[in-house]
Amino acid sequence: MMYIYTETPLHAGVGSGLSSVELPIQRERHTQYPMIQGSSIKGKLRALISDQCGSNSDGRVKALFGHEHETQETDQLHAGALIVSDARILLFPVRSLEGVFAYTTSLDILERFRKDLIHVHQEQTFPQLPSTRLKNGQALVTEHSKVITSGSDPDLLLEEFSFEVSKSQQVTSVAHWLAEHALPFDGYWAEKLRSSLVVLADDDFRDFVLYSTEVITRIAIDQEKKTVKEGALWTEEHLPADTLLYAPIYATNERRPIEKGQEPRQGLALLQEAQTLSQQAGPYLQLGGDETVGRGFVKVRWSPPVPLTGSATGRP
């Protein structure tokens, strides 16, 4: 599993949109949750690993990602072994009256995350989730939450909305697990997550990720007139900084044709190699558009790769 934490607003776009935002972000069709398409992450990993290997035609790059274009090389064209899934939302930051902002999620998001952990055989340590479904306007917080108001009747205020809160030992356990296994930071930010995690009702969470993203207005200046160029005024949607996503990553056995008598490299070994080469370049990536204005810088964390039961395929 690759965990992706946005350090600056991120615009993974879909071209033009039909709403008031001209350049919206990528979203799942059926849930409207923000996401990043796997092809974007895979392309960035290929560029990063190619730089580490010194060439896009290096054998390790071809084994992981396949041929980029048709060539006249003696190698036959083949697919790569690395399989990169779409990045899904896990935690979304929302402005809070107390504690500056809260890391919000929902039971629907956490159950989907648990399902994805089962695929990569890492669900054994994930805490039990609350069994009661929340109603709109209700929220669960950690036992030592710093985002609720003080007093005999604590309240939670996110943006301009008030929520009825309950402290939950299970939410505390989830916050500790995410801080230890998913967050690419320790120290202050890990403690922030432990004290600021909020589990919302599914509909409330969906509304926040729909309507509380960053929308930025941009212009282009005519260099001679020093005014806005005609038609050069547009709006862009961004995932805010401090969003946490995750992308399951797998690897098959090597698909590159090999010499007679040789054995193809196993998926787990290829996945370990991809992870090592990526980490050698450092924990930071740039995803999405607007790189030259500082958008899309993220910090990533890889979970240890494991083999699938009865298969040589590797999954992190």
Side-chain angles (χ1 to χ4, degrees):
M1 196 81 78
M2 174 190 279
Y3 297 97
I4 301 169
Y5 189 95
T6 61
E7 295 212 338
T8 62
L10 187 151
H11 176 76
V14 292
S16 60
L18 300 177
S19 68
S20 59
V21 179
E22 285 135 324
L23 297 176
I25 59 174
Q26 297 168 5
R27 292 183 180 275
E28 297 176 0
R29 174 67 177 173
H30 64 301
T31 64
Q32 291 297 291
Y33 295 154
M35 47 90 76
I36 304 173
Q37 292 178 1
S39 57
S40 298
I41 302 170
K42 187 176 181 181
K44 178 59 68 172
L45 287 176
R46 177 169 191 141
L48 188 73
I49 291 175
S50 295
D51 287 344
Q52 289 299 112
C53 294
S55 169
N56 199 31
S57 60
D58 187 279
R60 291 169 292 179
V61 178
K62 290 180 180 178
L64 290 169
F65 299 99
H67 284 270
E68 189 171 25
H69 303 290
E70 290 193 18
T71 65
Q72 300 298 320
E73 300 175 25
T74 55
D75 284 350
Q76 299 177 26
L77 296 181
H78 61 87
L82 203 64
I83 302 168
V84 183
S85 300
D86 296 338
R88 292 177 156 189
I89 190 80
L90 183 54
L91 300 177
F92 185 78
V94 177
R95 180 166 54 97
S96 173
L97 179 65
E98 299 285 341
V100 184
F101 76 91
Y103 288 106
T104 68
T105 187
S106 71
L107 291 177
D108 179 64
I109 292 293
L110 293 174
E111 287 291 357
R112 292 202 319 171
F113 179 57
R114 179 197 290 280
K115 182 173 64 176
D116 288 330
L117 287 177
I118 291 173
H119 292 166
V120 297
H121 299 292
Q122 294 176 358
E123 80 285 0
Q124 298 91 344
T125 61
F126 192 67
Q128 186 70 33
L129 298 176
S131 57
T132 303
R133 304 302 292 185
L134 296 172
K135 297 178 181 178
N136 290 343
Q138 295 180 332
L140 298 176
V141 298
T142 60
E143 293 171 300
H144 304 287
S145 178
K146 294 183 179 179
V147 294
I148 58 176
T149 58
S150 58
S152 58
D153 189 17
D155 205 0
L156 172 68
L157 295 172
L158 301 178
E159 297 288 349
E160 65 269 34
F161 303 102
S162 175
F163 294 85
E164 175 189 335
V165 293
S166 300
K167 294 183 178 181
S168 168
Q169 190 275 328
Q170 292 166 314
V171 173
T172 302
S173 298
V174 170
H176 280 268
W177 191 97
L178 292 175
E180 182 178 348
H181 295 90
L183 198 70
F185 301 98
D186 52 17
Y188 171 84
W189 292 104
E191 184 55 36
K192 167 71 175 173
L193 174 54
R194 293 187 184 101
S195 62
S196 301
L197 181 64
V198 175
V199 178
L200 299 172
D202 296 339
D203 290 346
D204 289 336
F205 179 78
R206 180 205 56 204
D207 290 345
F208 276 124
V209 299
L210 267 174
Y211 303 118
S212 294
T213 53
E214 286 196 31
V215 177
I216 300 172
T217 302
R218 298 190 61 191
I219 61 172
I221 297 293
D222 186 306
Q223 293 301 314
E224 293 184 1
K225 298 180 180 179
K226 303 302 180 184
T227 58
V228 178
K229 291 181 180 178
E230 185 176 353
L233 170 67
W234 72 97
T235 53
E236 296 177 353
E237 185 181 21
H238 294 70
L239 267 179
D242 299 307
T243 300
L244 181 64
L245 307 100
Y246 67 96
I249 300 181
Y250 320 104
T252 66
N253 291 344
E254 187 173 9
R255 290 167 169 166
R256 185 172 53 170
I258 57 174
E259 299 293 331
K260 222 177 212 184
Q262 291 184 337
E263 289 291 328
R265 295 180 63 192
Q266 301 295 293
L268 181 60
L270 288 168
L271 188 56
Q272 289 170 332
E273 182 172 66
Q275 183 172 335
T276 299
L277 289 169
S278 172
Q279 290 174 329
Q280 285 175 355
Y284 292 95
L285 295 176
Q286 192 283 325
L287 297 173
D290 299 332
E291 178 179 6
T292 58
V293 290
R295 308 297 181 189
F297 287 95
V298 303
K299 188 172 184 180
V300 302
R301 174 176 178 173
W302 293 74
S303 62
V306 296
L308 295 183
T309 305
S311 169
T313 303
R315 300 188 179 188

